[in-house]
mmCIF file of all heavy atoms in Angstrom:
data_model
loop_
_atom_site.group_PDB
_atom_site.id
_atom_site.type_symbol
_atom_site.label_atom_id
_atom_site.label_comp_id
_atom_site.label_asym_id
_atom_site.label_seq_id
_atom_site.Cartn_x
_atom_site.Cartn_y
_atom_site.Cartn_z
ATOM 1 N N MET A 17 9.169 -0.336 12.542
ATOM 2 C CA MET A 17 8.819 1.002 12.104
ATOM 3 C C MET A 17 7.661 1.531 12.947
ATOM 4 O O MET A 17 6.840 0.762 13.428
ATOM 5 C CB MET A 17 8.416 0.992 10.619
ATOM 6 C CG MET A 17 9.585 0.758 9.689
ATOM 7 S SD MET A 17 10.743 2.121 9.810
ATOM 8 C CE MET A 17 12.052 1.464 8.784
ATOM 9 N N PRO A 18 7.570 2.833 13.126
ATOM 10 C CA PRO A 18 6.488 3.409 13.908
ATOM 11 C C PRO A 18 5.151 3.213 13.223
ATOM 12 O O PRO A 18 5.079 2.928 12.045
ATOM 13 C CB PRO A 18 6.865 4.898 13.979
ATOM 14 C CG PRO A 18 7.740 5.121 12.818
ATOM 15 C CD PRO A 18 8.488 3.850 12.601
ATOM 16 N N ALA A 19 4.114 3.384 13.987
ATOM 17 C CA ALA A 19 2.770 3.178 13.452
ATOM 18 C C ALA A 19 2.436 4.221 12.398
ATOM 19 O O ALA A 19 2.890 5.358 12.454
ATOM 20 C CB ALA A 19 1.751 3.251 14.588
ATOM 21 N N LEU A 20 1.648 3.825 11.440
ATOM 22 C CA LEU A 20 1.190 4.720 10.383
ATOM 23 C C LEU A 20 0.229 5.749 10.958
ATOM 24 O O LEU A 20 -0.733 5.407 11.625
ATOM 25 C CB LEU A 20 0.493 3.900 9.293
ATOM 26 C CG LEU A 20 -0.133 4.651 8.139
ATOM 27 C CD1 LEU A 20 0.967 5.327 7.339
ATOM 28 C CD2 LEU A 20 -0.889 3.683 7.248
ATOM 29 N N LEU A 21 0.498 7.019 10.680
ATOM 30 C CA LEU A 21 -0.403 8.071 11.145
ATOM 31 C C LEU A 21 -1.671 8.091 10.308
ATOM 32 O O LEU A 21 -2.778 8.127 10.812
ATOM 33 C CB LEU A 21 0.295 9.434 11.052
ATOM 34 C CG LEU A 21 1.441 9.667 12.037
ATOM 35 C CD1 LEU A 21 2.053 11.025 11.791
ATOM 36 C CD2 LEU A 21 0.939 9.575 13.463
ATOM 37 N N ARG A 22 -1.499 8.112 9.018
ATOM 38 C CA ARG A 22 -2.618 8.108 8.094
ATOM 39 C C ARG A 22 -2.047 7.781 6.737
ATOM 40 O O ARG A 22 -0.910 8.104 6.449
ATOM 41 C CB ARG A 22 -3.298 9.477 8.073
ATOM 42 C CG ARG A 22 -4.606 9.541 7.285
ATOM 43 C CD ARG A 22 -5.316 10.836 7.641
ATOM 44 N NE ARG A 22 -6.540 10.997 6.877
ATOM 45 C CZ ARG A 22 -6.674 11.889 5.898
ATOM 46 N NH1 ARG A 22 -5.657 12.646 5.557
ATOM 47 N NH2 ARG A 22 -7.808 12.001 5.253
ATOM 48 N N SER A 23 -2.785 7.127 5.892
ATOM 49 C CA SER A 23 -2.221 6.730 4.616
ATOM 50 C C SER A 23 -3.253 6.836 3.526
ATOM 51 O O SER A 23 -4.445 6.890 3.771
ATOM 52 C CB SER A 23 -1.706 5.288 4.664
ATOM 53 O OG SER A 23 -2.792 4.387 4.736
ATOM 54 N N ALA A 24 -2.754 6.869 2.297
ATOM 55 C CA ALA A 24 -3.614 6.700 1.136
ATOM 56 C C ALA A 24 -3.094 5.484 0.407
ATOM 57 O O ALA A 24 -1.949 5.444 0.023
ATOM 58 C CB ALA A 24 -3.586 7.925 0.235
ATOM 59 N N ARG A 25 -3.947 4.488 0.222
ATOM 60 C CA ARG A 25 -3.528 3.264 -0.449
ATOM 61 C C ARG A 25 -4.292 3.160 -1.764
ATOM 62 O O ARG A 25 -5.513 3.225 -1.783
ATOM 63 C CB ARG A 25 -3.862 2.030 0.396
ATOM 64 C CG ARG A 25 -2.965 1.819 1.578
ATOM 65 C CD ARG A 25 -3.373 0.519 2.260
ATOM 66 N NE ARG A 25 -2.453 0.195 3.330
ATOM 67 C CZ ARG A 25 -1.336 -0.491 3.168
ATOM 68 N NH1 ARG A 25 -1.001 -0.892 1.969
ATOM 69 N NH2 ARG A 25 -0.551 -0.761 4.188
ATOM 70 N N PHE A 26 -3.576 2.970 -2.832
ATOM 71 C CA PHE A 26 -4.200 2.780 -4.121
ATOM 72 C C PHE A 26 -4.093 1.309 -4.490
ATOM 73 O O PHE A 26 -3.014 0.748 -4.489
ATOM 74 C CB PHE A 26 -3.531 3.633 -5.198
ATOM 75 C CG PHE A 26 -3.671 5.098 -4.930
ATOM 76 C CD1 PHE A 26 -2.687 5.789 -4.258
ATOM 77 C CD2 PHE A 26 -4.810 5.775 -5.319
ATOM 78 C CE1 PHE A 26 -2.825 7.136 -3.989
ATOM 79 C CE2 PHE A 26 -4.950 7.122 -5.049
ATOM 80 C CZ PHE A 26 -3.959 7.802 -4.395
ATOM 81 N N GLY A 27 -5.194 0.708 -4.798
ATOM 82 C CA GLY A 27 -5.202 -0.702 -5.131
ATOM 83 C C GLY A 27 -4.843 -0.934 -6.575
ATOM 84 O O GLY A 27 -4.421 -0.021 -7.286
ATOM 85 N N PRO A 28 -5.016 -2.168 -7.068
ATOM 86 C CA PRO A 28 -4.613 -2.521 -8.426
ATOM 87 C C PRO A 28 -5.310 -1.652 -9.458
ATOM 88 O O PRO A 28 -6.482 -1.344 -9.335
ATOM 89 C CB PRO A 28 -5.052 -3.985 -8.552
ATOM 90 C CG PRO A 28 -5.169 -4.468 -7.138
ATOM 91 C CD PRO A 28 -5.588 -3.279 -6.336
ATOM 92 N N THR A 29 -4.582 -1.254 -10.475
ATOM 93 C CA THR A 29 -5.157 -0.498 -11.581
ATOM 94 C C THR A 29 -5.496 -1.466 -12.702
ATOM 95 O O THR A 29 -5.199 -2.650 -12.657
ATOM 96 C CB THR A 29 -4.160 0.559 -12.109
ATOM 97 O OG1 THR A 29 -3.096 -0.131 -12.771
ATOM 98 C CG2 THR A 29 -3.619 1.383 -10.977
ATOM 99 N N THR A 30 -6.092 -0.939 -13.763
ATOM 100 C CA THR A 30 -6.381 -1.769 -14.919
ATOM 101 C C THR A 30 -5.105 -2.070 -15.689
ATOM 102 O O THR A 30 -5.100 -2.901 -16.566
ATOM 103 C CB THR A 30 -7.384 -1.055 -15.833
ATOM 104 O OG1 THR A 30 -6.876 0.228 -16.153
ATOM 105 C CG2 THR A 30 -8.724 -0.906 -15.140
ATOM 106 N N LYS A 31 -4.030 -1.357 -15.395
ATOM 107 C CA LYS A 31 -2.750 -1.626 -16.025
ATOM 108 C C LYS A 31 -2.063 -2.714 -15.211
ATOM 109 O O LYS A 31 -1.460 -2.445 -14.178
ATOM 110 C CB LYS A 31 -1.890 -0.357 -16.064
ATOM 111 C CG LYS A 31 -2.567 0.802 -16.774
ATOM 112 C CD LYS A 31 -1.755 2.056 -16.586
ATOM 113 C CE LYS A 31 -2.466 3.253 -17.182
ATOM 114 N NZ LYS A 31 -1.767 4.514 -16.947
ATOM 115 N N GLU A 32 -2.168 -3.948 -15.649
ATOM 116 C CA GLU A 32 -1.651 -5.053 -14.873
ATOM 117 C C GLU A 32 -0.135 -4.976 -14.812
ATOM 118 O O GLU A 32 0.538 -4.696 -15.790
ATOM 119 C CB GLU A 32 -2.083 -6.384 -15.505
ATOM 120 C CG GLU A 32 -3.588 -6.604 -15.469
ATOM 121 C CD GLU A 32 -4.108 -6.756 -14.054
ATOM 122 O OE1 GLU A 32 -3.324 -7.142 -13.176
ATOM 123 O OE2 GLU A 32 -5.291 -6.495 -13.837
ATOM 124 N N ALA A 33 0.404 -5.252 -13.633
ATOM 125 C CA ALA A 33 1.850 -5.287 -13.458
ATOM 126 C C ALA A 33 2.198 -6.590 -12.765
ATOM 127 O O ALA A 33 1.761 -6.844 -11.655
ATOM 128 C CB ALA A 33 2.306 -4.092 -12.622
ATOM 129 N N ASP A 34 2.975 -7.460 -13.459
ATOM 130 C CA ASP A 34 3.332 -8.749 -12.886
ATOM 131 C C ASP A 34 4.230 -8.585 -11.681
ATOM 132 O O ASP A 34 4.126 -9.324 -10.708
ATOM 133 C CB ASP A 34 4.021 -9.617 -13.949
ATOM 134 C CG ASP A 34 3.077 -9.985 -15.086
ATOM 135 O OD1 ASP A 34 1.860 -10.049 -14.827
ATOM 136 O OD2 ASP A 34 3.563 -10.182 -16.206
ATOM 137 N N ASN A 35 5.135 -7.623 -11.771
ATOM 138 C CA ASN A 35 6.093 -7.414 -10.694
ATOM 139 C C ASN A 35 6.139 -5.936 -10.327
ATOM 140 O O ASN A 35 7.045 -5.222 -10.756
ATOM 141 C CB ASN A 35 7.486 -7.903 -11.119
ATOM 142 C CG ASN A 35 7.518 -9.387 -11.393
ATOM 143 O OD1 ASN A 35 7.274 -10.184 -10.494
ATOM 144 N ND2 ASN A 35 7.804 -9.759 -12.634
ATOM 145 N N PRO A 36 5.166 -5.454 -9.583
ATOM 146 C CA PRO A 36 5.186 -4.036 -9.205
ATOM 147 C C PRO A 36 6.425 -3.711 -8.387
ATOM 148 O O PRO A 36 6.871 -4.505 -7.556
ATOM 149 C CB PRO A 36 3.912 -3.873 -8.376
ATOM 150 C CG PRO A 36 3.573 -5.250 -7.910
ATOM 151 C CD PRO A 36 4.029 -6.173 -8.985
ATOM 152 N N MET A 37 7.007 -2.543 -8.647
ATOM 153 C CA MET A 37 8.195 -2.119 -7.927
ATOM 154 C C MET A 37 7.794 -1.322 -6.697
ATOM 155 O O MET A 37 7.076 -0.320 -6.796
ATOM 156 C CB MET A 37 9.101 -1.252 -8.810
ATOM 157 C CG MET A 37 10.345 -0.747 -8.085
ATOM 158 S SD MET A 37 11.336 0.403 -9.070
ATOM 159 C CE MET A 37 11.999 -0.727 -10.293
ATOM 160 N N ALA A 38 8.222 -1.778 -5.544
ATOM 161 C CA ALA A 38 7.943 -1.089 -4.286
ATOM 162 C C ALA A 38 9.238 -0.518 -3.730
ATOM 163 O O ALA A 38 10.258 -1.209 -3.676
ATOM 164 C CB ALA A 38 7.315 -2.052 -3.289
ATOM 165 N N LEU A 39 9.191 0.738 -3.329
ATOM 166 C CA LEU A 39 10.378 1.405 -2.803
ATOM 167 C C LEU A 39 10.096 1.982 -1.413
ATOM 168 O O LEU A 39 8.985 2.405 -1.117
ATOM 169 C CB LEU A 39 10.826 2.532 -3.734
ATOM 170 C CG LEU A 39 11.252 2.134 -5.147
ATOM 171 C CD1 LEU A 39 11.636 3.371 -5.949
ATOM 172 C CD2 LEU A 39 12.398 1.133 -5.125
ATOM 173 N N GLU A 40 11.132 2.013 -0.605
ATOM 174 C CA GLU A 40 11.093 2.615 0.723
ATOM 175 C C GLU A 40 11.961 3.873 0.683
ATOM 176 O O GLU A 40 13.103 3.824 0.246
ATOM 177 C CB GLU A 40 11.638 1.621 1.746
ATOM 178 C CG GLU A 40 11.554 2.083 3.182
ATOM 179 C CD GLU A 40 12.068 1.032 4.146
ATOM 180 O OE1 GLU A 40 13.261 0.688 4.068
ATOM 181 O OE2 GLU A 40 11.273 0.546 4.968
ATOM 182 N N ILE A 41 11.390 4.986 1.138
ATOM 183 C CA ILE A 41 12.055 6.285 0.994
ATOM 184 C C ILE A 41 12.190 6.954 2.360
ATOM 185 O O ILE A 41 11.222 7.014 3.122
ATOM 186 C CB ILE A 41 11.250 7.208 0.054
ATOM 187 C CG1 ILE A 41 11.096 6.578 -1.335
ATOM 188 C CG2 ILE A 41 11.882 8.581 -0.039
ATOM 189 C CD1 ILE A 41 10.117 7.308 -2.232
#
């Protein structure tokens, strides 16, 4: 994949998720 131009990354929230769902769009 091409290089990321700029991103916003949100880290873990206080709402724990054992299996976070990650999607590619």
